[in-house]
Amino acid sequence: MGEALGHLQPLHGSLAQNCAGFVGIVLALSGVEAIANATGVMKLDPGSTDAKPCVVKTSTPAILWVMIEVCVFTALFGLAAHALSGLQIVGGDVNAPGAEGVRDYMLRYMGQVFVGGALGPPFGHIFAVVVSIVFGLLLLSASNTAIVDLIAIQFLMSRDRELPKIFQRLNKWGVPSAGMLLATIVPMLLVIIVKDMSGLADLYAVGVVGAIATNLGATSTDRKLSIKSWERTLMFATFIVMAAIELSLLIDKPNARYFAVTILAVGLILRGLVQERRMKKEVAPLLPASTPMQLTRNESASSDAGTGEAILCPFAAPGARSISLCARRARPADGSICSSCASSVL
């Protein structure tokens, strides 16, 4: 501890460099974010109901404990790194005396150096192996948490009709099969494609920070929610900080930027296709079961005395939305629909 404290230095460099260093440790927030996502399934406070839920007594201790652990152990990790001598940063990686590329297994190296220096090299090697096994199991637990969260998100989006109904189908163990496959295969492919641990961390950071910023921004600006003024102000201020961190990550990490843009584009396209298909199914029962109309460009859609007046559709290339609008307007009259929309469906 004495050597670690002796190596501490005040902040030096420009403000941009210090901000970049701050952004680099933002992954520590993922623990708090995981606990915050679990508030929806926590035990309700006494006197609280499902209509007006409140989980303050359960969520507050859980979040505080995680925040303390994150802050204390992240600071302790940085302090322990200062106790190591001879570390050199080369091309984004970290080299140590007699060991190269220790950035991705720094905890193992710390155990080997500290225990080996106190009890001898053999004990240091044994302790390093133990550290590797323990943190490997912790990473498996973290992977399981991420998979469960992804499955739950896909299930809820399917319930909200944002994803196909196949993501609601449960297997005999009560788990959505389609969501489970997607939540496991995609991360496996990412690990295979992105072999650098730092690159994977960048992809993860963009997702975590973006999710937190989106949640904070949407909640703090929603006037329908009964939130106190100081809470709303604090959440909005935190949103500004998180949004700035997200922009910094997108600018400084091009691979993370491409990943985030690709995921958003694919997700929005699939969502649009699902909504388009759903709207077509909803409009189909509104169409009359009569003989299809065959109208040419020069023909006009006139109506007889008992069939109501014709409708002019202002869409050059009707889609499901325009068909739905046309059907809703025509329904009160006689259930007819304009020729343009009818021909596009038929």
Side-chain angles (χ1 to χ4, degrees):
M1 291 296 294
E3 188 174 356
L5 294 174
H7 289 164
L8 290 178
Q9 298 179 7
L11 288 177
H12 57 276
S14 63
L15 178 62
Q17 292 175 339
N18 292 329
C19 288
F22 172 73
V23 171
I25 63 171
V26 76
L27 280 180
L29 291 168
S30 59
V32 180
E33 186 256 353
I35 293 296
N37 283 339
T39 55
V41 295
M42 290 182 177
K43 182 180 179 180
L44 296 178
D45 293 345
S48 179
T49 63
D50 291 334
K52 293 183 178 181
C54 183
V55 292
V56 173
K57 291 186 176 181
T58 307
S59 62
T60 300
I63 293 177
L64 284 178
W65 272 112
V66 174
M67 288 179 62
I68 292 173
E69 291 176 0
V70 166
C71 296
V72 171
F73 285 108
T74 301
L76 182 61
F77 175 77
L79 193 63
H82 278 77
L84 299 173
S85 59
L87 296 181
Q88 294 181 349
I89 300 178
V90 179
D93 209 335
V94 180
N95 295 333
E100 295 184 356
V102 298
R103 181 198 64 189
D104 295 340
Y105 59 95
M106 182 62 73
L107 288 170
R108 173 190 173 101
Y109 179 74
M110 286 180 178
Q112 182 176 349
V113 171
F114 297 149
V115 176
L119 303 178
F123 288 96
H125 178 72
I126 294 174
F127 191 78
V129 174
V130 173
V131 169
S132 298
I133 295 174
V134 170
F135 279 93
L137 295 176
L138 286 176
L139 288 176
L140 287 176
S141 176
S143 301
N144 183 67
T145 302
I147 291 173
V148 171
D149 286 345
L150 285 172
I151 293 174
I153 289 173
Q154 294 173 83
F155 179 81
L156 293 176
M157 291 182 66
S158 181
R159 291 287 299 271
D160 292 340
R161 307 174 73 181
E162 300 288 343
L163 287 178
K165 291 184 179 180
I166 190 174
F167 291 95
Q168 299 181 45
R169 298 177 184 174
L170 307 180
N171 56 24
K172 61 181 180 179
W173 292 284
V175 179
S177 299
M180 180 179 61
L181 289 175
L182 192 62
T184 52
I185 292 176
V186 172
M188 290 169 61
L189 292 176
L190 285 177
V191 172
I192 294 175
I193 295 173
V194 184
K195 301 185 181 298
D196 183 30
M197 188 69 67
S198 178
L200 289 172
D202 293 339
L203 301 184
Y204 181 59
V206 167
V208 170
V209 176
I212 295 174
T214 302
N215 198 347
L216 289 173
T219 304
S220 61
T221 56
D222 189 351
R223 294 297 177 181
K224 296 180 181 180
L225 298 177
S226 57
I227 303 176
K228 298 178 181 178
S229 299
W230 70 269
E231 292 176 334
R232 191 182 298 275
T233 303
L234 180 61
M235 293 180 70
F236 187 77
T238 310
F239 158 71
I240 297 297
V241 175
M242 300 304 295
I245 294 176
E246 179 75 358
L247 291 176
S248 176
L249 289 170
L250 292 175
I251 294 173
D252 296 336
K253 312 292 184 182
N255 291 333
R257 179 172 66 248
Y258 301 148
F259 173 77
V261 172
T262 302
I263 292 296
L264 286 175
V266 172
L268 291 175
I269 290 174
L270 292 178
R271 178 179 180 272
L273 292 176
V274 170
Q275 288 189 335
E276 190 80 8
R277 182 181 179 185
R278 186 181 73 234
M279 295 184 69
K280 286 183 178 180
K281 288 183 178 180
E282 292 176 350
V283 171
L286 300 177
L287 296 177
S290 58
T291 306
M293 291 180 291
Q294 299 293 335
L295 297 179
T296 63
R297 183 181 300 272
N298 295 327
E299 291 176 341
S300 60
S302 60
S303 58
D304 296 330
T307 59
E309 62 179 347
I311 297 176
L312 176 63
C313 182
F315 301 98
R321 292 180 177 83
S322 59
I323 297 172
S324 177
L325 177 62
C326 177
R328 286 197 301 269
R329 290 181 177 178
R331 193 65 177 176
D334 62 346
S336 62
I337 194 169
C338 74
S339 59
S340 167
C341 292
S343 61
S344 88
V345 174
L346 300 174

